[in-house]
Each structure stands twice: as C-alpha cells, then as structure tokens.
Amino acid sequence: IVLVELPGAVWSAPAQKTYSNHPLIKSYSAQSSDGSTRLVIELKKSAKIGMKEVLPPNPTYANHRIVLDLVF
C-alpha cells in the first residue's frame, strides 16, 4: 500500500477505482476532510518510491499534479 497525505488538497477525481487488468495497481481510494486528502493506493506487489515530484498547474492542466515513480 502507498499512502499519500495531501494537506490543503481537495480531491476532484472519482473517490475510488479498481483496476482489474492493470499489472501493478489493484485500486485506489481517496478520502477528503477538512480541506485535505488521504490517497491510498493498493499495489499488486511490493514496491518502493524511486522518485516523487509535484508538478504545478500549466496551460493544459489547471491543478497541481503529483508524480510517483514506483520501483518493483
């Protein structure tokens, strides 16, 4: 499981999703409260975070984005 705390972030995507055909990700769920979000990503096998980055808004994407590079 990868747990991502996003203080000051409101989740606008679906609150949960299951990936039956994805080779690495089983599902995710996001819980928002008090203006912050906790994202729980369930993986199909063990991994570690190799790189993480926050991408600012740009002309294509109006909101901040996060990038997690998972190493299996």
Side-chain angles (χ1 to χ4, degrees):
I1 292 178
V2 176
L3 177 61
V4 182
E5 297 282 347
L6 301 165
V10 177
W11 192 259
S12 60
Q16 53 188 332
K17 188 168 181 174
T18 300
Y19 298 91
S20 57
N21 294 324
H22 195 283
L24 307 174
I25 299 173
K26 183 174 183 180
S27 64
Y28 79 79
S29 64
Q31 301 93 28
S32 293
S33 65
D34 298 325
S36 294
T37 298
R38 172 179 282 176
L39 176 63
V40 178
I41 305 168
E42 187 174 355
L43 304 175
K44 293 183 178 175
K45 56 183 170 177
S46 295
K48 64 179 182 176
I49 296 175
M51 182 273 301
K52 60 187 177 206
E53 186 174 349
V54 176
L55 302 176
N58 64 38
T60 303
Y61 300 101
N63 298 309
H64 286 83
R65 293 165 291 143
I66 57 171
V67 176
L68 299 174
D69 182 26
L70 299 175
V71 179
F72 293 91

PDB file of all heavy atoms in Angstrom, residues 8-44:
ATOM      1  N   GLY A   8      -4.136  20.363   2.454  1.00  0.00           N
ATOM      2  CA  GLY A   8      -4.588  21.520   1.688  1.00  0.00           C
ATOM      3  C   GLY A   8      -5.073  21.196   0.290  1.00  0.00           C
ATOM      4  O   GLY A   8      -5.278  22.094  -0.510  1.00  0.00           O
ATOM      5  N   ALA A   9      -5.251  19.900  -0.012  1.00  0.00           N
ATOM      6  CA  ALA A   9      -5.690  19.493  -1.356  1.00  0.00           C
ATOM      7  C   ALA A   9      -7.081  18.876  -1.294  1.00  0.00           C
ATOM      8  O   ALA A   9      -7.384  18.098  -0.396  1.00  0.00           O
ATOM      9  CB  ALA A   9      -4.715  18.484  -1.948  1.00  0.00           C
ATOM     10  N   VAL A  10      -7.906  19.241  -2.244  1.00  0.00           N
ATOM     11  CA  VAL A  10      -9.237  18.656  -2.375  1.00  0.00           C
ATOM     12  C   VAL A  10      -9.224  17.736  -3.581  1.00  0.00           C
ATOM     13  O   VAL A  10      -8.737  18.113  -4.654  1.00  0.00           O
ATOM     14  CB  VAL A  10     -10.309  19.757  -2.541  1.00  0.00           C
ATOM     15  CG1 VAL A  10     -11.676  19.152  -2.751  1.00  0.00           C
ATOM     16  CG2 VAL A  10     -10.309  20.669  -1.332  1.00  0.00           C
ATOM     17  N   TRP A  11      -9.702  16.509  -3.423  1.00  0.00           N
ATOM     18  CA  TRP A  11      -9.697  15.500  -4.483  1.00  0.00           C
ATOM     19  C   TRP A  11     -10.866  15.754  -5.415  1.00  0.00           C
ATOM     20  O   TRP A  11     -12.012  15.827  -4.987  1.00  0.00           O
ATOM     21  CB  TRP A  11      -9.805  14.117  -3.846  1.00  0.00           C
ATOM     22  CG  TRP A  11      -9.537  13.012  -4.787  1.00  0.00           C
ATOM     23  CD1 TRP A  11     -10.471  12.222  -5.409  1.00  0.00           C
ATOM     24  CD2 TRP A  11      -8.270  12.545  -5.257  1.00  0.00           C
ATOM     25  NE1 TRP A  11      -9.858  11.299  -6.218  1.00  0.00           N
ATOM     26  CE2 TRP A  11      -8.506  11.486  -6.136  1.00  0.00           C
ATOM     27  CE3 TRP A  11      -6.961  12.942  -5.002  1.00  0.00           C
ATOM     28  CZ2 TRP A  11      -7.478  10.795  -6.763  1.00  0.00           C
ATOM     29  CZ3 TRP A  11      -5.941  12.258  -5.623  1.00  0.00           C
ATOM     30  CH2 TRP A  11      -6.198  11.207  -6.493  1.00  0.00           C
ATOM     31  N   SER A  12     -10.618  15.860  -6.737  1.00  0.00           N
ATOM     32  CA  SER A  12     -11.695  16.114  -7.694  1.00  0.00           C
ATOM     33  C   SER A  12     -11.959  14.931  -8.625  1.00  0.00           C
ATOM     34  O   SER A  12     -12.933  14.942  -9.355  1.00  0.00           O
ATOM     35  CB  SER A  12     -11.377  17.366  -8.522  1.00  0.00           C
ATOM     36  OG  SER A  12     -10.168  17.186  -9.240  1.00  0.00           O
ATOM     37  N   ALA A  13     -11.108  13.914  -8.597  1.00  0.00           N
ATOM     38  CA  ALA A  13     -11.310  12.702  -9.408  1.00  0.00           C
ATOM     39  C   ALA A  13     -12.276  11.773  -8.669  1.00  0.00           C
ATOM     40  O   ALA A  13     -12.632  12.039  -7.523  1.00  0.00           O
ATOM     41  CB  ALA A  13      -9.957  12.021  -9.643  1.00  0.00           C
ATOM     42  N   PRO A  14     -12.679  10.660  -9.284  1.00  0.00           N
ATOM     43  CA  PRO A  14     -13.516   9.697  -8.554  1.00  0.00           C
ATOM     44  C   PRO A  14     -12.840   9.279  -7.247  1.00  0.00           C
ATOM     45  O   PRO A  14     -11.616   9.135  -7.192  1.00  0.00           O
ATOM     46  CB  PRO A  14     -13.623   8.517  -9.520  1.00  0.00           C
ATOM     47  CG  PRO A  14     -13.461   9.136 -10.881  1.00  0.00           C
ATOM     48  CD  PRO A  14     -12.461  10.253 -10.673  1.00  0.00           C
ATOM     49  N   ALA A  15     -13.623   9.078  -6.193  1.00  0.00           N
ATOM     50  CA  ALA A  15     -13.083   8.783  -4.866  1.00  0.00           C
ATOM     51  C   ALA A  15     -12.436   7.410  -4.778  1.00  0.00           C
ATOM     52  O   ALA A  15     -11.581   7.189  -3.928  1.00  0.00           O
ATOM     53  CB  ALA A  15     -14.179   8.904  -3.819  1.00  0.00           C
ATOM     54  N   GLN A  16     -12.834   6.501  -5.654  1.00  0.00           N
ATOM     55  CA  GLN A  16     -12.194   5.192  -5.663  1.00  0.00           C
ATOM     56  C   GLN A  16     -12.308   4.545  -7.030  1.00  0.00           C
ATOM     57  O   GLN A  16     -13.207   4.866  -7.806  1.00  0.00           O
ATOM     58  CB  GLN A  16     -12.769   4.279  -4.581  1.00  0.00           C
ATOM     59  CG  GLN A  16     -14.253   4.127  -4.588  1.00  0.00           C
ATOM     60  CD  GLN A  16     -14.708   3.368  -3.352  1.00  0.00           C
ATOM     61  OE1 GLN A  16     -13.989   2.557  -2.804  1.00  0.00           O
ATOM     62  NE2 GLN A  16     -15.914   3.634  -2.906  1.00  0.00           N
ATOM     63  N   LYS A  17     -11.370   3.662  -7.290  1.00  0.00           N
ATOM     64  CA  LYS A  17     -11.359   2.964  -8.577  1.00  0.00           C
ATOM     65  C   LYS A  17     -10.578   1.660  -8.408  1.00  0.00           C
ATOM     66  O   LYS A  17      -9.602   1.610  -7.672  1.00  0.00           O
ATOM     67  CB  LYS A  17     -10.720   3.820  -9.663  1.00  0.00           C
ATOM     68  CG  LYS A  17     -10.853   3.229 -11.047  1.00  0.00           C
ATOM     69  CD  LYS A  17     -10.470   4.216 -12.115  1.00  0.00           C
ATOM     70  CE  LYS A  17     -10.660   3.566 -13.481  1.00  0.00           C
ATOM     71  NZ  LYS A  17     -10.439   4.492 -14.562  1.00  0.00           N
ATOM     72  N   THR A  18     -11.041   0.620  -9.093  1.00  0.00           N
ATOM     73  CA  THR A  18     -10.372  -0.680  -9.104  1.00  0.00           C
ATOM     74  C   THR A  18      -9.852  -0.934 -10.508  1.00  0.00           C
ATOM     75  O   THR A  18     -10.532  -0.624 -11.486  1.00  0.00           O
ATOM     76  CB  THR A  18     -11.353  -1.796  -8.697  1.00  0.00           C
ATOM     77  OG1 THR A  18     -11.817  -1.503  -7.371  1.00  0.00           O
ATOM     78  CG2 THR A  18     -10.697  -3.150  -8.712  1.00  0.00           C
ATOM     79  N   TYR A  19      -8.639  -1.486 -10.592  1.00  0.00           N
ATOM     80  CA  TYR A  19      -8.000  -1.781 -11.874  1.00  0.00           C
ATOM     81  C   TYR A  19      -7.799  -3.289 -11.987  1.00  0.00           C
ATOM     82  O   TYR A  19      -6.779  -3.821 -11.579  1.00  0.00           O
ATOM     83  CB  TYR A  19      -6.642  -1.079 -11.974  1.00  0.00           C
ATOM     84  CG  TYR A  19      -6.739   0.429 -11.923  1.00  0.00           C
ATOM     85  CD1 TYR A  19      -6.664   1.100 -10.711  1.00  0.00           C
ATOM     86  CD2 TYR A  19      -6.916   1.171 -13.080  1.00  0.00           C
ATOM     87  CE1 TYR A  19      -6.756   2.478 -10.655  1.00  0.00           C
ATOM     88  CE2 TYR A  19      -7.009   2.551 -13.027  1.00  0.00           C
ATOM     89  CZ  TYR A  19      -6.927   3.195 -11.815  1.00  0.00           C
ATOM     90  OH  TYR A  19      -7.020   4.565 -11.757  1.00  0.00           O
ATOM     91  N   SER A  20      -8.752  -3.989 -12.554  1.00  0.00           N
ATOM     92  CA  SER A  20      -8.645  -5.449 -12.635  1.00  0.00           C
ATOM     93  C   SER A  20      -7.590  -5.896 -13.650  1.00  0.00           C
ATOM     94  O   SER A  20      -6.963  -6.942 -13.465  1.00  0.00           O
ATOM     95  CB  SER A  20     -10.000  -6.066 -12.977  1.00  0.00           C
ATOM     96  OG  SER A  20     -10.498  -5.527 -14.178  1.00  0.00           O
ATOM     97  N   ASN A  21      -7.353  -5.120 -14.683  1.00  0.00           N
ATOM     98  CA  ASN A  21      -6.405  -5.524 -15.732  1.00  0.00           C
ATOM     99  C   ASN A  21      -5.044  -4.834 -15.645  1.00  0.00           C
ATOM    100  O   ASN A  21      -4.180  -5.081 -16.457  1.00  0.00           O
ATOM    101  CB  ASN A  21      -7.008  -5.287 -17.118  1.00  0.00           C
ATOM    102  CG  ASN A  21      -8.200  -6.182 -17.375  1.00  0.00           C
ATOM    103  OD1 ASN A  21      -8.228  -7.334 -16.943  1.00  0.00           O
ATOM    104  ND2 ASN A  21      -9.206  -5.669 -18.057  1.00  0.00           N
ATOM    105  N   HIS A  22      -4.852  -3.950 -14.683  1.00  0.00           N
ATOM    106  CA  HIS A  22      -3.567  -3.253 -14.566  1.00  0.00           C
ATOM    107  C   HIS A  22      -2.535  -4.196 -13.955  1.00  0.00           C
ATOM    108  O   HIS A  22      -2.825  -4.878 -12.978  1.00  0.00           O
ATOM    109  CB  HIS A  22      -3.719  -1.999 -13.711  1.00  0.00           C
ATOM    110  CG  HIS A  22      -2.581  -1.056 -13.833  1.00  0.00           C
ATOM    111  ND1 HIS A  22      -1.373  -1.259 -13.213  1.00  0.00           N
ATOM    112  CD2 HIS A  22      -2.453   0.108 -14.528  1.00  0.00           C
ATOM    113  CE1 HIS A  22      -0.557  -0.267 -13.499  1.00  0.00           C
ATOM    114  NE2 HIS A  22      -1.185   0.578 -14.300  1.00  0.00           N
ATOM    115  N   PRO A  23      -1.314  -4.243 -14.490  1.00  0.00           N
ATOM    116  CA  PRO A  23      -0.321  -5.189 -13.974  1.00  0.00           C
ATOM    117  C   PRO A  23       0.254  -4.815 -12.595  1.00  0.00           C
ATOM    118  O   PRO A  23       0.782  -5.682 -11.903  1.00  0.00           O
ATOM    119  CB  PRO A  23       0.786  -5.163 -15.028  1.00  0.00           C
ATOM    120  CG  PRO A  23       0.642  -3.844 -15.694  1.00  0.00           C
ATOM    121  CD  PRO A  23      -0.828  -3.521 -15.661  1.00  0.00           C
ATOM    122  N   LEU A  24       0.136  -3.564 -12.160  1.00  0.00           N
ATOM    123  CA  LEU A  24       0.785  -3.129 -10.918  1.00  0.00           C
ATOM    124  C   LEU A  24      -0.173  -2.580  -9.862  1.00  0.00           C
ATOM    125  O   LEU A  24       0.028  -2.791  -8.679  1.00  0.00           O
ATOM    126  CB  LEU A  24       1.835  -2.060 -11.237  1.00  0.00           C
ATOM    127  CG  LEU A  24       2.866  -2.440 -12.303  1.00  0.00           C
ATOM    128  CD1 LEU A  24       3.747  -1.255 -12.616  1.00  0.00           C
ATOM    129  CD2 LEU A  24       3.677  -3.624 -11.852  1.00  0.00           C
ATOM    130  N   ILE A  25      -1.195  -1.861 -10.280  1.00  0.00           N
ATOM    131  CA  ILE A  25      -2.099  -1.206  -9.340  1.00  0.00           C
ATOM    132  C   ILE A  25      -3.401  -1.987  -9.237  1.00  0.00           C
ATOM    133  O   ILE A  25      -4.050  -2.270 -10.247  1.00  0.00           O
ATOM    134  CB  ILE A  25      -2.375   0.250  -9.760  1.00  0.00           C
ATOM    135  CG1 ILE A  25      -1.067   1.045  -9.771  1.00  0.00           C
ATOM    136  CG2 ILE A  25      -3.401   0.892  -8.829  1.00  0.00           C
ATOM    137  CD1 ILE A  25      -1.204   2.439 -10.329  1.00  0.00           C
ATOM    138  N   LYS A  26      -3.774  -2.308  -7.997  1.00  0.00           N
ATOM    139  CA  LYS A  26      -5.025  -3.020  -7.754  1.00  0.00           C
ATOM    140  C   LYS A  26      -6.189  -2.030  -7.638  1.00  0.00           C
ATOM    141  O   LYS A  26      -7.237  -2.217  -8.243  1.00  0.00           O
ATOM    142  CB  LYS A  26      -4.906  -3.858  -6.488  1.00  0.00           C
ATOM    143  CG  LYS A  26      -6.114  -4.694  -6.192  1.00  0.00           C
ATOM    144  CD  LYS A  26      -5.848  -5.605  -4.990  1.00  0.00           C
ATOM    145  CE  LYS A  26      -7.033  -6.500  -4.731  1.00  0.00           C
ATOM    146  NZ  LYS A  26      -6.782  -7.378  -3.587  1.00  0.00           N
ATOM    147  N   SER A  27      -5.995  -0.957  -6.843  1.00  0.00           N
ATOM    148  CA  SER A  27      -7.065   0.017  -6.648  1.00  0.00           C
ATOM    149  C   SER A  27      -6.517   1.265  -5.959  1.00  0.00           C
ATOM    150  O   SER A  27      -5.377   1.286  -5.512  1.00  0.00           O
ATOM    151  CB  SER A  27      -8.184  -0.571  -5.791  1.00  0.00           C
ATOM    152  OG  SER A  27      -7.709  -0.862  -4.493  1.00  0.00           O
ATOM    153  N   TYR A  28      -7.373   2.281  -5.895  1.00  0.00           N
ATOM    154  CA  TYR A  28      -7.063   3.445  -5.075  1.00  0.00           C
ATOM    155  C   TYR A  28      -8.353   3.933  -4.430  1.00  0.00           C
ATOM    156  O   TYR A  28      -9.456   3.668  -4.923  1.00  0.00           O
ATOM    157  CB  TYR A  28      -6.375   4.568  -5.856  1.00  0.00           C
ATOM    158  CG  TYR A  28      -7.296   5.413  -6.693  1.00  0.00           C
ATOM    159  CD1 TYR A  28      -8.072   6.429  -6.135  1.00  0.00           C
ATOM    160  CD2 TYR A  28      -7.397   5.226  -8.064  1.00  0.00           C
ATOM    161  CE1 TYR A  28      -8.917   7.210  -6.911  1.00  0.00           C
ATOM    162  CE2 TYR A  28      -8.240   5.993  -8.843  1.00  0.00           C
ATOM    163  CZ  TYR A  28      -8.999   6.984  -8.256  1.00  0.00           C
ATOM    164  OH  TYR A  28      -9.838   7.745  -9.014  1.00  0.00           O
ATOM    165  N   SER A  29      -8.190   4.646  -3.330  1.00  0.00           N
ATOM    166  CA  SER A  29      -9.314   5.350  -2.720  1.00  0.00           C
ATOM    167  C   SER A  29      -8.786   6.652  -2.143  1.00  0.00           C
ATOM    168  O   SER A  29      -7.642   6.739  -1.707  1.00  0.00           O
ATOM    169  CB  SER A  29      -9.980   4.505  -1.621  1.00  0.00           C
ATOM    170  OG  SER A  29      -9.090   4.282  -0.558  1.00  0.00           O
ATOM    171  N   ALA A  30      -9.607   7.669  -2.191  1.00  0.00           N
ATOM    172  CA  ALA A  30      -9.237   8.994  -1.687  1.00  0.00           C
ATOM    173  C   ALA A  30     -10.306   9.458  -0.711  1.00  0.00           C
ATOM    174  O   ALA A  30     -11.499   9.383  -1.006  1.00  0.00           O
ATOM    175  CB  ALA A  30      -9.094   9.979  -2.838  1.00  0.00           C
ATOM    176  N   GLN A  31      -9.864   9.890   0.462  1.00  0.00           N
ATOM    177  CA  GLN A  31     -10.776  10.429   1.462  1.00  0.00           C
ATOM    178  C   GLN A  31     -10.383  11.873   1.734  1.00  0.00           C
ATOM    179  O   GLN A  31      -9.227  12.136   2.074  1.00  0.00           O
ATOM    180  CB  GLN A  31     -10.706   9.624   2.772  1.00  0.00           C
ATOM    181  CG  GLN A  31     -11.052   8.161   2.633  1.00  0.00           C
ATOM    182  CD  GLN A  31      -9.828   7.281   2.406  1.00  0.00           C
ATOM    183  OE1 GLN A  31      -8.734   7.607   2.833  1.00  0.00           O
ATOM    184  NE2 GLN A  31     -10.017   6.179   1.715  1.00  0.00           N
ATOM    185  N   SER A  32     -11.344  12.772   1.576  1.00  0.00           N
ATOM    186  CA  SER A  32     -11.089  14.188   1.825  1.00  0.00           C
ATOM    187  C   SER A  32     -11.849  14.633   3.069  1.00  0.00           C
ATOM    188  O   SER A  32     -13.009  14.246   3.265  1.00  0.00           O
ATOM    189  CB  SER A  32     -11.529  15.047   0.640  1.00  0.00           C
ATOM    190  OG  SER A  32     -10.725  14.799  -0.480  1.00  0.00           O
ATOM    191  N   SER A  33     -11.183  15.427   3.899  1.00  0.00           N
ATOM    192  CA  SER A  33     -11.842  16.055   5.040  1.00  0.00           C
ATOM    193  C   SER A  33     -11.021  17.260   5.472  1.00  0.00           C
ATOM    194  O   SER A  33      -9.801  17.266   5.355  1.00  0.00           O
ATOM    195  CB  SER A  33     -12.002  15.074   6.203  1.00  0.00           C
ATOM    196  OG  SER A  33     -10.756  14.690   6.711  1.00  0.00           O
ATOM    197  N   ASP A  34     -11.704  18.268   5.938  1.00  0.00           N
ATOM    198  CA  ASP A  34     -11.052  19.493   6.433  1.00  0.00           C
ATOM    199  C   ASP A  34     -10.092  20.100   5.408  1.00  0.00           C
ATOM    200  O   ASP A  34      -9.031  20.605   5.761  1.00  0.00           O
ATOM    201  CB  ASP A  34     -10.312  19.228   7.747  1.00  0.00           C
ATOM    202  CG  ASP A  34     -11.256  18.778   8.861  1.00  0.00           C
ATOM    203  OD1 ASP A  34     -12.396  19.275   8.874  1.00  0.00           O
ATOM    204  OD2 ASP A  34     -10.849  17.946   9.676  1.00  0.00           O
ATOM    205  N   GLY A  35     -10.420  20.008   4.117  1.00  0.00           N
ATOM    206  CA  GLY A  35      -9.597  20.619   3.082  1.00  0.00           C
ATOM    207  C   GLY A  35      -8.338  19.867   2.730  1.00  0.00           C
ATOM    208  O   GLY A  35      -7.482  20.388   2.028  1.00  0.00           O
ATOM    209  N   SER A  36      -8.183  18.637   3.215  1.00  0.00           N
ATOM    210  CA  SER A  36      -7.023  17.804   2.889  1.00  0.00           C
ATOM    211  C   SER A  36      -7.498  16.446   2.382  1.00  0.00           C
ATOM    212  O   SER A  36      -8.651  16.075   2.575  1.00  0.00           O
ATOM    213  CB  SER A  36      -6.135  17.606   4.110  1.00  0.00           C
ATOM    214  OG  SER A  36      -5.563  18.839   4.491  1.00  0.00           O
ATOM    215  N   THR A  37      -6.593  15.710   1.749  1.00  0.00           N
ATOM    216  CA  THR A  37      -6.944  14.410   1.176  1.00  0.00           C
ATOM    217  C   THR A  37      -5.913  13.371   1.559  1.00  0.00           C
ATOM    218  O   THR A  37      -4.716  13.660   1.590  1.00  0.00           O
ATOM    219  CB  THR A  37      -7.034  14.503  -0.369  1.00  0.00           C
ATOM    220  OG1 THR A  37      -8.070  15.426  -0.707  1.00  0.00           O
ATOM    221  CG2 THR A  37      -7.331  13.164  -1.010  1.00  0.00           C
ATOM    222  N   ARG A  38      -6.394  12.168   1.818  1.00  0.00           N
ATOM    223  CA  ARG A  38      -5.527  10.998   2.032  1.00  0.00           C
ATOM    224  C   ARG A  38      -5.815  10.038   0.881  1.00  0.00           C
ATOM    225  O   ARG A  38      -6.945   9.612   0.674  1.00  0.00           O
ATOM    226  CB  ARG A  38      -5.826  10.326   3.353  1.00  0.00           C
ATOM    227  CG  ARG A  38      -5.073   9.008   3.508  1.00  0.00           C
ATOM    228  CD  ARG A  38      -5.354   8.362   4.819  1.00  0.00           C
ATOM    229  NE  ARG A  38      -4.548   9.086   5.807  1.00  0.00           N
ATOM    230  CZ  ARG A  38      -4.583   8.847   7.098  1.00  0.00           C
ATOM    231  NH1 ARG A  38      -5.392   7.951   7.590  1.00  0.00           N
ATOM    232  NH2 ARG A  38      -3.804   9.519   7.911  1.00  0.00           N
ATOM    233  N   LEU A  39      -4.766   9.725   0.119  1.00  0.00           N
ATOM    234  CA  LEU A  39      -4.865   8.827  -1.023  1.00  0.00           C
ATOM    235  C   LEU A  39      -4.212   7.494  -0.656  1.00  0.00           C
ATOM    236  O   LEU A  39      -3.058   7.468  -0.225  1.00  0.00           O
ATOM    237  CB  LEU A  39      -4.161   9.437  -2.239  1.00  0.00           C
ATOM    238  CG  LEU A  39      -4.077   8.597  -3.506  1.00  0.00           C
ATOM    239  CD1 LEU A  39      -5.469   8.297  -4.058  1.00  0.00           C
ATOM    240  CD2 LEU A  39      -3.234   9.314  -4.558  1.00  0.00           C
ATOM    241  N   VAL A  40      -4.966   6.409  -0.811  1.00  0.00           N
ATOM    242  CA  VAL A  40      -4.466   5.073  -0.515  1.00  0.00           C
ATOM    243  C   VAL A  40      -4.434   4.294  -1.835  1.00  0.00           C
ATOM    244  O   VAL A  40      -5.462   4.113  -2.477  1.00  0.00           O
ATOM    245  CB  VAL A  40      -5.369   4.340   0.506  1.00  0.00           C
ATOM    246  CG1 VAL A  40      -4.852   2.933   0.766  1.00  0.00           C
ATOM    247  CG2 VAL A  40      -5.471   5.133   1.795  1.00  0.00           C
ATOM    248  N   ILE A  41      -3.229   3.874  -2.240  1.00  0.00           N
ATOM    249  CA  ILE A  41      -3.052   3.112  -3.482  1.00  0.00           C
ATOM    250  C   ILE A  41      -2.661   1.695  -3.102  1.00  0.00           C
ATOM    251  O   ILE A  41      -1.646   1.479  -2.440  1.00  0.00           O
ATOM    252  CB  ILE A  41      -1.959   3.736  -4.375  1.00  0.00           C
ATOM    253  CG1 ILE A  41      -2.270   5.208  -4.647  1.00  0.00           C
ATOM    254  CG2 ILE A  41      -1.820   2.948  -5.683  1.00  0.00           C
ATOM    255  CD1 ILE A  41      -1.114   5.983  -5.264  1.00  0.00           C
ATOM    256  N   GLU A  42      -3.473   0.724  -3.502  1.00  0.00           N
ATOM    257  CA  GLU A  42      -3.171  -0.678  -3.213  1.00  0.00           C
ATOM    258  C   GLU A  42      -2.472  -1.285  -4.427  1.00  0.00           C
ATOM    259  O   GLU A  42      -3.007  -1.255  -5.534  1.00  0.00           O
ATOM    260  CB  GLU A  42      -4.439  -1.457  -2.886  1.00  0.00           C
ATOM    261  CG  GLU A  42      -4.155  -2.857  -2.415  1.00  0.00           C
ATOM    262  CD  GLU A  42      -5.383  -3.600  -1.952  1.00  0.00           C
ATOM    263  OE1 GLU A  42      -6.479  -3.007  -1.890  1.00  0.00           O
ATOM    264  OE2 GLU A  42      -5.245  -4.795  -1.660  1.00  0.00           O
ATOM    265  N   LEU A  43      -1.281  -1.786  -4.205  1.00  0.00           N
ATOM    266  CA  LEU A  43      -0.470  -2.364  -5.273  1.00  0.00           C
ATOM    267  C   LEU A  43      -0.645  -3.880  -5.316  1.00  0.00           C
ATOM    268  O   LEU A  43      -1.006  -4.496  -4.319  1.00  0.00           O
ATOM    269  CB  LEU A  43       1.003  -2.019  -5.075  1.00  0.00           C
ATOM    270  CG  LEU A  43       1.337  -0.534  -4.976  1.00  0.00           C
ATOM    271  CD1 LEU A  43       2.799  -0.356  -4.649  1.00  0.00           C
ATOM    272  CD2 LEU A  43       0.954   0.194  -6.240  1.00  0.00           C
ATOM    273  N   LYS A  44      -0.333  -4.473  -6.455  1.00  0.00           N
ATOM    274  CA  LYS A  44      -0.412  -5.928  -6.606  1.00  0.00           C
ATOM    275  C   LYS A  44       0.858  -6.632  -6.161  1.00  0.00           C
ATOM    276  O   LYS A  44       0.858  -7.845  -5.999  1.00  0.00           O
ATOM    277  CB  LYS A  44      -0.749  -6.293  -8.050  1.00  0.00           C
ATOM    278  CG  LYS A  44      -2.149  -5.858  -8.437  1.00  0.00           C
ATOM    279  CD  LYS A  44      -2.519  -6.269  -9.835  1.00  0.00           C
ATOM    280  CE  LYS A  44      -3.946  -5.856 -10.139  1.00  0.00           C
ATOM    281  NZ  LYS A  44      -4.322  -6.133 -11.517  1.00  0.00           N
TER     282      LYS A  44
END
